[in-house]
Amino acid sequence: MGERFVVVPVDGGVRVAGEGEHWDAVVADPASYTGGGGGSSDSSSGTAEVKEAGEDSVFEPEDPNALVPILEYNREPNKYGDGVPKENSPFINNTDNDKGNSYDGTNMALFEEEMDSNPMVSSLLNKLANYTNLTQGAQEHEEAEEDEGPKKKAVKSPQMGTFMGVYLPCLQNILGVILFLRLTWIVGTAGILESLAIVCLCCSCTMLTAISMSAIATNGVVPAGGSYYMISRSLGPEFGGAVGLCFYLGTTFAGSMYILGTIEILLTYIVPKAAIFVAEKKEDEPDALLNNMRVYGTCCLALMAVVVFVGVKYVNKLALVFLACVILSILAIYAGVIKTIFEPPDFPVCMLGNRTLQNHNFDSCLKTEIIQNVTVTTKLWKLFCDGPEFNATCDEYFANNNVTSVQGIPGLTSGVISENMWSVYGPLKMLVENKKLPSAGGSDPAQDIYMPYVVNDITTFFTLLVGIYFPSVTGIMAGSNRSGDLRDAQKSIPIGTILAIATTSFIYVTCVVLFGACIEGVLLRDKFGDSVKGNLVIGTLSWPSPWVIVIGSFFSCCGAGLQSLTGAPRLLQAIARDGIVPFLQVFGHGKANGEPTWALLLTAGICEIGILIASLDAVAPILSMFFLMCYLFVNLACAVQTLLRTPNWRPRFKYYHWALSFLGMSLCLALMFISSWYYAIVAMAIAGCIYKYIEYRGAEKEWGDGIRGLSLNAARYALIRLEEAPPHTKNWRPQLLVLLNLDSDQGVKHPRMLSLTTQLKAGKGLTIVGNVLEGTYLTKEAEAKKAEQNIKSSMSAERTKGFCHVVVSSNLRDGFSHLIQSAGLGGMKHNTVLMAWPGTWRQSNDPQSWKNFIETVRETTAAHQALLVAKNVDSFPTNQDRLEEGTIDVWWVVHDGGMLMLLPFLLRQHKVWRKCKMRIFTVAQMDDNSIQMKKDLQMFLYHLRLDAEVEVVEMHDNDISAFTYEKTLVMEQRSQMLKQMQLSRTEREREAQLIHDRNTASHAAINDKAETGPDRVHMTWTKDKLFTERNRNREGNSNVAVRDLFNMKPEWESLNQSNVRRMHTAVKLNEVVVNKSQEAHLVLLNMPGPPGNRGGDENYMEFLEVLLEGLNRVLLVRGGGREVITIYS
């Protein structure tokens, strides 16, 4: 709670509570201390009662002169106890409506300071119990409402139940166009056995998916979005967006299919004369039908879109009418089947030989007939002959075969079921024949297509029929898509969906068997009923009239189309409002009541594409792919959540198992490739593109999805495996801990460090970017978060893939030590530390800066970690630079495990350094065979498969020069000067001037003439002075030089000879490196270790400065004590 009371002593004295004393007071109402009424509270309630003066009171002083503590009402918030929660919800840290209702009472005083962020359960239970999913378009439970600006107008709570909200929409979508228009044809073509296999395969797939979906739907509240919401929250935004958009496309194309079915029924069976395009020739009939479908389909789509735009409630009201028609149609089918037992309907099929004839243009199935005792030719004769005369030229097959009439609906007890058991597949234009009837030859296949035969309009095979049939079971998510309109989605979705699938599966299985048992095979294979005067084939079976089925199927398709046009825009709206696909955000807007207007327009536009295809058989496999992909990921989501056993996975629906989900997933994948392997690949490609787009461009969302949990489990497993044994040399790569420096505003001081990291890693391996803030975490928490955010921004800008770790420590020294020891996890720890050279260590008044650097070097060595130190890191190239041809020079002085050879190879993998060549220099002493050394090194590099130039540099054992002695003398004198930390800055500068004057006098003999010294002491020599002094030493008379050395010897004898030798090495090696590699793009050099005695740390920094003098980009390398490169495969 933000309000607290502080005891303040008054009356001019100061009294501090003694050890063990504590002043505590809890006041029931601050108004009682400011003159307000009603301030006292009943003592029996546990609150403190303030008594009148003169009575016994805990606040009454025994000594009148003692201090009286007064309660001061302080509204300053608690600085240390309260933090911002990681995520917002309707319950935690959302007390805007309760502000001002401050806590009264002492029963829970222990928690009073936390009640702003953690409200009392007693006041929260009502919200928890009454929390329901909001209507379509409302904010989801994990999004903060205050970010949306002014609150939207309250929307009426949804009231739809299981029957109206889930069962009926699912039933209506499942019992759609395929049952009435294609199932008889599928049974006739595939046979009863294979048709049952198709039905069982598809229904099993949807039932297993429904079980998985029920588990997900009952694992928490399902707001608007239905299936998309379930997939995205279970598998993450990338999978959710990809599969959600695919499911949206599938639902939209389903709308196209239902509209095409509606128009096919209208133009083929209800009003054939309404066709705008009429074919004059038989071969033009398919094109004319497609054009009619396009025109009427577009008009029907526009009408349905207007109905949906008016409001979803009208769709729900119409759904009752449409579904009543569907149920009546199905009952009419069963009634017709029963009637065939006693009185089969009369639908004769005219056969010429064994071929089925289209019965459109003739009345009697005869070649000739007797009218008034006169034999005349029939209309059928005129279709096959060039005239009505008996001597007219007729088709040869017509002349050779008799015309017979068979009963199209022989009845349930006719035994036709045995003939329809097996499949009859065939190519395009194959004649529909009854093989049991006699047939004489003489046909001309080229002319048969112009004759009135019933033929296959497409090539038929098993997998095609699977693709065409599957949309008839794809309405299972019609209820979950409208989850925002449901009163209790967790209860309604499982019950309604599973009941709908069970009902429709029973209908499909019984229909397959009954169709095969009641209808003649040639009529079953007659897709459009041409052999029964254009009647709907399934209508010929119904009772009391075929029109019951025709009208019922018409309204069924209309209702299913409306359901699709209702669900698809809401699905798109849910995806758009999540913000995971940036270019779809405009479709998240809608009318004031939440209706998705813009999404409806896009849905209608995509639906029009399906209508322009105009063929129901061509559209069905397309939407099968999208639905199957969605079902596949629903099963995957359930399986992943079940196997991960995440704490939040607690479905109320208990009848699920991960094995069922995997079976359903495998079945979906198999059906995708069975139906159409190329459509399957295209659908997967579309989903993959959407996935990658969301991954790179979409908003970052954290939904606690299963894929993230799977990643955590995989990471845990991998880390445990890594812990078992250290990596082999072949697998070794630098896993970097980058120690960054930040400025006063917590900005990255050297962003080129991150550029170098990116170039060195190329996105591979582990990268931890660390920083240390000095202080305590309680006071530096905000700065630490700001620093972490700034580092992450810089990492993103420099394309550095890795992790950020900011540590707050009492001092920098300990902080860096903690990072080196504890960064990483298990076997995934860093093995290399990258840091920048402290370039301003000489100018720094605080010696701790360079002492921290040296201690870090020591700690990396103790931890057996490699160390990389970049000098002049700000001059290193950025990731956008492209270095022209140059060299990366490696100075291999001591063996460090091969780091010096490996690093240039890794750098050259990056496009910044790709054009650079690698040169390796090694140093030979006087007694070394430099020629043999070069050959050996070349052979070694050959075995390492490294392309590099090799050069052996000879360093002769020269006497230590006066220049080296002088550098050492200046270094030691400076060191002694800086150790006198008790002197003031002015005194230190004065002493430095005295040392400089004495130093100038001591080497006057070498310089031939004295030089006037500057006001300040020169801590190091400049590069120009270095070369000038060397030239003077070379050109001077040797005798004079010897005499000078003899004169200075007494002062040099006091120098530490170890320091002299080290300085000599630094000077000589620097001279060689500068001579060979001054123009190199990068120099890699062995880094000497710090001295064992900490007293010489400042001298160590001087040695390194001399070693690196005159070089631009240098990377000092110190190995970790193990081999990192090998010649073996």
Side-chain angles (χ1 to χ4, degrees):
M1 197 170 185
E3 301 170 352
R4 298 187 309 229
F5 295 98
V6 181
V7 180
V8 182
V10 295
D11 265 354
V14 178
R15 178 186 171 204
V16 181
E19 187 176 353
E21 296 183 31
H22 183 67
W23 280 332
D24 257 335
V26 179
V27 181
D29 191 347
S32 60
Y33 296 95
T34 57
S40 64
S41 59
D42 189 6
S43 61
S44 64
S45 66
T47 56
E49 182 178 351
V50 181
K51 301 187 177 182
E52 298 291 336
E55 298 181 14
D56 292 337
S57 171
V58 293
F59 301 118
E60 182 182 357
E62 297 177 1
D63 184 358
N65 296 322
L67 300 178
V68 181
I70 292 182
L71 290 169
E72 178 183 56
Y73 191 52
N74 184 9
R75 290 182 176 269
E76 182 182 3
N78 185 0
K79 291 182 180 178
Y80 304 121
D82 300 331
V84 181
K86 294 293 183 185
E87 61 177 344
N88 294 325
S89 75
F91 315 130
I92 304 301
N93 202 39
N94 190 10
T95 55
D96 291 342
N97 298 330
D98 302 330
K99 288 195 176 166
N101 302 332
S102 58
Y103 171 69
D104 272 345
T106 58
N107 286 339
M108 295 296 167
L110 191 61
F111 301 96
E112 66 179 355
E113 293 191 359
E114 298 178 343
M115 286 182 187
D116 274 348
S117 58
N118 302 330
M120 290 283 291
V121 173
S122 58
S123 64
L124 187 66
L125 280 175
N126 184 258
K127 294 180 183 178
L128 288 168
N130 294 327
Y131 175 66
T132 58
N133 53 300
L134 303 178
T135 54
Q136 297 283 357
Q139 285 293 326
E140 294 179 359
H141 72 281
E142 72 268 57
E143 300 292 341
E145 290 185 359
E146 53 266 26
D147 295 338
E148 294 294 318
K151 292 189 175 180
K152 294 184 179 179
K153 197 165 71 174
V155 185
K156 185 180 176 183
S157 178
Q159 294 297 325
M160 296 180 68
T162 303
F163 189 74
M164 282 292 298
V166 181
Y167 183 77
L168 293 187
C170 287
L171 212 62
Q172 192 171 4
N173 275 269
I174 295 172
L175 297 175
V177 60
I178 301 297
L179 170 64
F180 299 112
L181 296 185
R182 293 292 182 269
L183 190 57
T184 54
W185 173 72
I186 290 173
V187 173
T189 304
I192 295 175
L193 294 180
E194 291 187 23
S195 298
L196 284 175
I198 293 173
V199 171
C200 292
L201 203 63
C202 296
C203 290
S204 299
C205 176
T206 53
M207 181 59 80
L208 291 171
T209 303
I211 291 171
S212 298
M213 185 182 71
S214 299
I216 299 173
T218 57
N219 188 52
V221 179
V222 181
S227 56
Y228 158 72
Y229 180 91
M230 290 186 290
I231 296 171
S232 61
R233 270 51 177 186
S234 298
L235 295 178
E238 294 88 0
F239 276 111
V243 180
L245 284 175
C246 283
F247 186 57
Y248 163 74
L249 292 174
T251 308
T252 305
F253 275 105
S256 301
M257 186 186 72
Y258 295 129
I259 292 172
L260 290 174
T262 303
I263 303 306
E264 183 177 314
I265 294 169
L266 180 70
L267 294 180
T268 307
Y269 307 112
I270 300 179
V271 280
K273 294 182 179 179
I276 298 174
F277 302 93
V278 180
E280 296 180 358
K281 299 179 181 179
K282 183 175 182 293
E283 58 268 22
D284 295 334
E285 289 178 358
D287 293 335
L289 177 62
L290 294 181
N291 289 329
N292 286 318
M293 301 277 275
R294 292 183 180 108
V295 174
Y296 280 95
T298 302
C299 298
C300 183
L301 172 63
L303 181 62
M304 288 186 176
V306 170
V307 172
V308 173
F309 178 77
V310 170
V312 68
K313 60 181 180 179
Y314 297 104
V315 176
N316 294 332
K317 290 178 180 178
L318 290 170
L320 290 175
V321 179
F322 295 151
L323 191 66
C325 295
V326 174
I327 294 173
L328 286 175
S329 301
I330 293 171
L331 292 177
I333 293 171
Y334 286 116
V337 169
I338 295 172
K339 184 176 179 293
T340 61
I341 301 174
F342 312 105
E343 185 184 349
D346 183 26
F347 284 98
V349 176
C350 190
M351 308 291 295
L352 176 62
N354 63 358
R355 300 178 182 180
T356 310
L357 297 177
Q358 293 182 356
N359 192 357
H360 288 300
N361 300 317
F362 59 91
D363 299 321
S364 58
C365 186
L366 297 168
K367 289 185 179 181
T368 60
E369 59 184 344
I370 299 174
I371 299 177
Q372 297 177 355
N373 295 325
V374 178
T375 302
V376 296
T377 57
T378 61
K379 293 182 179 179
L380 179 60
W381 181 283
K382 298 174 184 177
L383 295 175
F384 287 89
C385 302
D386 56 5
E389 300 82 11
F390 286 100
N391 59 355
T393 304
C394 297
D395 178 74
E396 186 178 359
Y397 188 85
F398 179 76
N400 295 339
N401 290 273
N402 294 325
V403 176
T404 57
S405 179
V406 298
Q407 191 55 255
I409 312 291
L412 191 62
T413 57
S414 63
V416 74
I417 187 171
S418 61
E419 299 175 8
N420 293 329
M421 279 289 181
W422 314 109
S423 61
V424 184
Y425 300 118
L428 175 68
K429 302 297 184 183
M430 187 189 83
L431 300 174
V432 175
E433 299 174 337
N434 186 341
K435 296 298 183 181
K436 289 190 175 183
L437 296 178
S439 173
S443 64
D444 182 6
Q447 295 299 320
D448 287 345
I449 60 174
Y450 301 106
M451 298 301 168
Y453 297 126
V454 177
V455 297
N456 284 357
D457 63 332
I458 57 174
T459 301
T460 55
F461 42 90
F462 178 80
T463 57
L464 172 75
L465 298 186
V466 174
I468 292 176
Y469 173 77
F470 189 81
S472 66
V473 297
T474 56
I476 65 171
M477 290 190 174
S480 64
N481 284 344
R482 302 162 71 249
S483 55
D485 298 323
L486 299 174
R487 187 185 306 115
D488 185 1
Q490 291 193 48
K491 177 183 177 183
S492 299
I493 290 176
I495 296 175
T497 304
I498 291 177
L499 281 179
I501 293 174
T503 304
T504 54
S505 298
F506 173 80
I507 292 172
Y508 282 134
V509 170
T510 54
C511 282
V512 167
V513 176
L514 294 176
F515 291 165
C518 295
I519 305 176
E520 178 64 41
V522 291
L523 182 55
L524 285 173
R525 295 194 295 278
D526 184 3
K527 184 184 289 186
F528 300 106
D530 291 324
S531 61
V532 286
K533 295 188 179 296
N535 277 303
L536 183 61
V537 175
I538 197 173
T540 61
L541 184 63
S542 64
W543 180 87
S545 166
W547 284 101
V548 176
I549 296 291
V550 172
I551 300 301
S553 60
F554 178 79
F555 284 116
S556 167
C557 294
C558 286
L562 283 172
Q563 293 287 355
S564 296
L565 290 179
T566 303
R570 280 161 176 72
L571 183 59
L572 182 63
Q573 185 184 47
I575 298 172
R577 287 190 169 176
D578 265 343
I580 59 174
V581 185
F583 69 83
L584 289 181
Q585 289 186 1
V586 66
F587 299 108
H589 306 298
K591 294 192 292 186
N593 61 353
E595 291 295 319
T597 309
W598 292 106
L600 178 61
L601 289 176
L602 179 65
T603 302
I606 298 174
C607 199
E608 177 65 18
I609 296 174
I611 288 172
L612 292 178
I613 296 175
S615 171
L616 190 148
D617 298 322
V619 173
I622 296 175
L623 61 100
S624 293
M625 292 303 113
F626 292 126
F627 280 123
L628 280 166
M629 184 170 294
C630 178
Y631 298 165
L632 184 150
F633 281 100
V634 169
N635 285 295
L636 176 63
C638 181
V640 166
Q641 297 278 28
T642 306
L643 289 175
L644 288 179
R645 298 174 184 172
T646 51
N648 192 51
W649 181 246
R650 303 183 299 273
R652 283 206 176 93
F653 182 82
K654 302 298 182 184
Y655 307 102
Y656 69 94
H657 193 270
W658 64 265
L660 292 177
S661 299
F662 268 117
L663 181 61
M665 185 179 68
S666 304
L667 204 54
C668 290
L669 189 63
L671 283 173
M672 286 180 69
F673 283 92
I674 286 173
S675 302
S676 175
W677 63 268
Y678 44 89
Y679 276 162
I681 292 174
V682 170
M684 288 181 172
I686 292 173
C689 292
I690 298 171
Y691 179 96
K692 297 306 290 184
Y693 176 81
I694 295 173
E695 186 178 37
Y696 287 113
R697 297 293 305 277
E700 293 183 3
K701 296 285 182 180
E702 174 50 61
W703 287 330
D705 51 87
I707 292 297
R708 186 173 180 83
L710 193 63
S711 301
L712 288 172
N713 264 25
R716 179 187 62 85
Y717 175 77
L719 285 172
I720 292 174
R721 290 291 303 274
L722 283 175
E723 191 77 7
E724 294 175 0
H728 192 272
T729 303
K730 291 186 289 186
N731 295 327
W732 195 95
R733 66 167 62 246
Q735 316 286 6
L736 290 180
L737 169 62
V738 184
L739 300 180
L740 277 187
N741 294 325
L742 302 182
D743 55 26
S744 57
D745 295 329
Q746 310 305 329
V748 177
K749 192 179 292 186
H750 302 297
R752 300 289 178 90
M753 285 279 286
L754 297 175
S755 302
L756 176 61
T757 304
T758 304
Q759 295 157 22
L760 193 60
K761 302 290 293 180
K764 301 293 190 296
L766 174 70
T767 300
I768 302 173
V769 180
N771 178 254
V772 177
L773 297 181
E774 199 166 6
T776 62
Y777 187 72
L778 289 177
T779 58
K780 295 283 187 177
E781 179 192 4
E783 290 183 34
K785 290 181 178 178
K786 181 181 178 182
E788 187 171 342
Q789 191 60 40
N790 291 342
I791 292 174
K792 287 181 178 178
S793 299
S794 297
M795 290 173 67
S796 177
E798 299 295 337
R799 298 180 182 177
T800 304
K801 296 181 180 180
F803 309 98
C804 176
H805 196 177
V806 176
V807 172
V808 181
S809 179
S810 56
N811 59 73
L812 297 178
R813 164 78 183 80
D814 290 344
F816 286 125
S817 177
H818 295 156
L819 272 178
I820 291 172
Q821 293 177 62
S822 62
L825 180 64
M828 199 64 175
K829 292 178 67 71
H830 62 278
N831 55 29
T832 306
V833 177
L834 173 63
M835 58 193 303
W837 171 259
T840 59
W841 70 275
R842 281 202 183 104
Q843 290 75 28
S844 175
N845 294 323
D846 182 14
Q848 202 61 40
S849 61
W850 53 265
K851 286 185 177 179
N852 287 339
F853 172 81
I854 297 176
E855 288 302 315
T856 304
V857 176
R858 286 195 174 99
E859 294 224 350
T860 56
T861 304
H864 301 290
Q865 295 174 2
L867 176 65
L868 308 178
V869 178
K871 185 192 176 190
N872 297 332
V873 69
D874 291 329
S875 68
F876 276 62
T878 65
N879 292 326
Q880 288 71 39
D881 293 338
R882 299 293 180 269
L883 296 179
E884 297 301 325
E885 291 189 5
T887 61
I888 300 176
D889 287 0
V890 176
W891 284 85
W892 191 20
V893 181
V894 295
H895 182 57
D896 59 352
M899 277 283 287
L900 282 171
M901 261 76 75
L902 186 60
L903 292 176
F905 170 76
L906 295 175
L907 282 174
R908 291 181 63 213
Q909 305 302 306
H910 197 276
K911 48 194 172 184
V912 172
W913 302 90
R914 192 162 292 161
K915 293 183 179 180
C916 296
K917 294 181 179 179
M918 178 177 168
R919 294 194 303 179
I920 295 184
F921 297 89
T922 188
V923 178
Q925 302 300 323
M926 281 295 295
D927 53 350
D928 292 329
N929 186 342
S930 57
I931 298 176
Q932 187 61 39
M933 282 179 63
K934 184 173 183 179
K935 290 181 179 179
D936 293 341
L937 183 54
Q938 287 173 336
M939 181 58 65
F940 180 59
L941 293 177
Y942 175 78
H943 288 308
L944 289 176
R945 290 92 63 202
L946 295 176
D947 296 325
E949 296 179 13
V950 175
E951 187 170 343
V952 177
V953 178
E954 296 181 354
M955 287 185 64
H956 302 290
D957 290 336
N958 296 338
D959 293 334
I960 299 176
S961 65
F963 174 75
T964 301
Y965 278 110
E966 184 64 23
K967 292 283 286 185
T968 309
L969 180 63
V970 172
M971 177 187 72
E972 291 195 353
Q973 290 172 342
R974 176 186 180 278
S975 177
Q976 292 171 7
M977 175 190 70
L978 292 180
K979 284 179 181 177
Q980 299 176 3
M981 298 303 295
Q982 70 275 16
L983 298 177
S984 66
R985 181 178 178 83
T986 306
E987 290 172 330
R988 288 203 306 270
E989 289 181 356
R990 187 181 303 116
E991 181 172 336
Q993 183 64 42
L994 294 174
I995 294 173
H996 174 263
D997 294 342
R998 185 168 67 250
N999 181 32
T1000 303
S1002 68
H1003 67 269
I1006 299 177
N1007 293 335
D1008 292 337
K1009 61 179 182 177
E1011 294 179 1
T1012 303
D1015 293 337
R1016 297 288 184 98
V1017 61
H1018 282 288
M1019 297 303 181
T1020 61
W1021 289 24
T1022 64
K1023 184 179 176 182
D1024 294 339
K1025 188 173 181 181
L1026 184 150
F1027 285 111
T1028 303
E1029 189 63 33
R1030 285 175 180 169
N1031 293 333
R1032 285 178 177 175
N1033 288 339
R1034 293 191 187 101
E1035 294 171 2
N1037 186 279
S1038 59
N1039 294 330
V1040 175
V1042 171
R1043 187 171 62 252
D1044 293 338
L1045 291 174
F1046 182 78
N1047 292 336
M1048 296 184 68
K1049 191 173 182 181
E1051 190 169 350
W1052 288 348
E1053 284 179 349
S1054 63
L1055 296 176
N1056 185 322
Q1057 293 304 308
S1058 176
N1059 287 342
V1060 173
R1061 290 197 308 273
R1062 285 184 169 84
M1063 183 64 75
H1064 175 67
T1065 302
V1067 170
K1068 294 296 291 181
L1069 191 55
N1070 173 260
E1071 183 179 352
V1072 173
V1073 173
V1074 169
N1075 184 36
K1076 296 286 186 180
S1077 302
Q1078 194 169 15
E1079 303 300 325
H1081 286 315
L1082 179 64
V1083 176
L1084 282 83
L1085 185 64
N1086 283 115
M1087 181 178 185
N1093 179 15
R1094 282 180 167 78
D1097 283 355
E1098 62 272 15
N1099 297 337
Y1100 174 69
M1101 296 297 289
E1102 280 288 354
F1103 296 145
L1104 292 182
E1105 277 286 3
V1106 172
L1107 180 62
L1108 304 179
E1109 198 169 7
L1111 298 172
N1112 184 21
R1113 297 182 190 136
V1114 184
L1115 195 61
L1116 289 173
V1117 180
R1118 187 164 174 77
R1122 61 161 295 170
E1123 294 292 333
V1124 300
I1125 194 167
T1126 178
I1127 65 174
Y1128 298 105
S1129 61

